Amino acid sequence: DAGVTQSPTHLIKTRGQQVTLRCSPKSGHDTVSWYQQALGQGPQFIFQYYEEEERQRGNFPDRFSGHQFPNYSSELNVNALLLGDSALYLCASSLAGGLKRYTDTQYFGPGTRLTVL
Amino acid sequence: AQKVTQAQTEISVVEKEDVTLDCVYETRDTTYYLFWYKQPPSGELVFLIRRNSFDEQNEISGRYSWNFQKSTSSFNFTITASQVVDSAVYFCALSEATVAGANNLFFGTGTRLTVIP
């Protein structure tokens, strides 16, 4: 049973560039969430995708955008990179709760370490 | 507003000692979920446990146990007879169930546990 996978593992970019990170959810999951984890901090929620739409968004600027594909995989795009975007980007997958007041457990991938120079 | 506080930044124990990691949370929601994740040096967040707000029953899983007390808004994690492999950063997280089913996680800042052989 494949877990959550992310690519690439590491990435080095320069300020102003754009980056795309990729995530494949755990088998059977249909919801993908993205988190940013700065060094020494806890992960911070960026956004969540379900049925190819952004369902919820954290406090991140519009430079951060995403996409979910019909096979449930997802991409995170960051435009106009800043030094402060250097972080570990974590993808998590879960099963949708629909309209019920229900929360499924999120399972995380190994992350992509982004360094902005 | 939601908040998770892990006051212990770093803890060091000698192998075979017991250790308790503290977690205090704040939420206005009556339905919420609490989680503990382990982050080893590899970076991947490993799910340990989930608790919903209706279930205050404590749980034991091998050397791990969790104490959930709504009266003090705490969800503490105890490792009995610690081992070197327990060395990692441990995160407590909160999720508030929403009508739409979105389930983003709010993380504490983590506690770095070092088990000395």
Side-chain angles (χ1 to χ4, degrees), chain B residues 38-56:
Chain B
K38 173 183 180 180
Q39 189 173 44
S42 62
E44 182 171 345
L45 282 168
V46 178
F47 165 72
L48 296 178
I49 190 171
R50 177 182 114 189
R51 245 6 202 177
N52 70 52
S53 52
F54 303 123
D55 184 3
E56 285 193 73

Side-chain angles (χ1 to χ4, degrees), chain A residues 100-117:
Chain A
K100 295 182 292 185
R101 291 179 67 85
Y102 167 81
T103 295
D104 189 39
T105 298
Q106 294 187 25
Y107 293 88
F108 285 80
T112 294
R113 173 75 60 188
L114 172 64
T115 302
V116 182
L117 302 176

Side-chain angles (χ1 to χ4, degrees), chain A residues 35 37 48 56 101 103 106, chain B residues 37 39 50 102-104:
Chain A
Y35 293 81
Q37 186 179 18
Q48 184 178 82
Q56 193 172 16
R101 291 179 67 85
T103 295
Q106 294 187 25
Chain B
Y37 285 87
Q39 189 173 44
R50 177 182 114 189
N103 59 346
N104 58 293

Side-chain angles (χ1 to χ4, degrees), chain A residues 29-116:
Chain A
H29 285 179
D30 55 11
T31 301
V32 173
S33 303
W34 288 92
Y35 293 81
Q36 180 196 67
Q37 186 179 18
L39 203 59
Q41 300 296 315
Q44 301 240 330
F45 175 70
I46 303 175
F47 43 52
Q48 184 178 82
Y49 276 83
Y50 170 65
E51 292 188 334
E52 303 180 48
E53 290 189 357
E54 184 182 289
R55 184 158 73 168
Q56 193 172 16
R57 187 178 184 93
N59 189 25
F60 278 80
D62 292 344
R63 297 187 298 109
F64 289 78
S65 63
H67 188 77
Q68 186 180 34
F69 299 94
N71 66 352
Y72 307 120
S73 66
S74 177
E75 289 182 349
L76 164 65
N77 301 292
V78 187
N79 294 323
L81 284 168
L82 304 174
L83 295 179
D85 295 331
S86 295
L88 179 68
Y89 287 85
L90 294 162
C91 169
S93 74
S94 57
L95 193 59
L99 295 178
K100 295 182 292 185
R101 291 179 67 85
Y102 167 81
T103 295
D104 189 39
T105 298
Q106 294 187 25
Y107 293 88
F108 285 80
T112 294
R113 173 75 60 188
L114 172 64
T115 302
V116 182

Side-chain angles (χ1 to χ4, degrees), chain B residues 16-54:
Chain B
K16 297 184 183 178
E17 285 185 344
D18 298 347
V19 59
T20 295
L21 309 182
D22 298 333
C23 173
V24 175
Y25 63 92
E26 293 178 29
T27 177
R28 294 178 185 172
D29 210 337
T30 56
T31 302
Y32 54 89
Y33 299 82
L34 296 165
F35 301 79
W36 276 95
Y37 285 87
K38 173 183 180 180
Q39 189 173 44
S42 62
E44 182 171 345
L45 282 168
V46 178
F47 165 72
L48 296 178
I49 190 171
R50 177 182 114 189
R51 245 6 202 177
N52 70 52
S53 52
F54 303 123

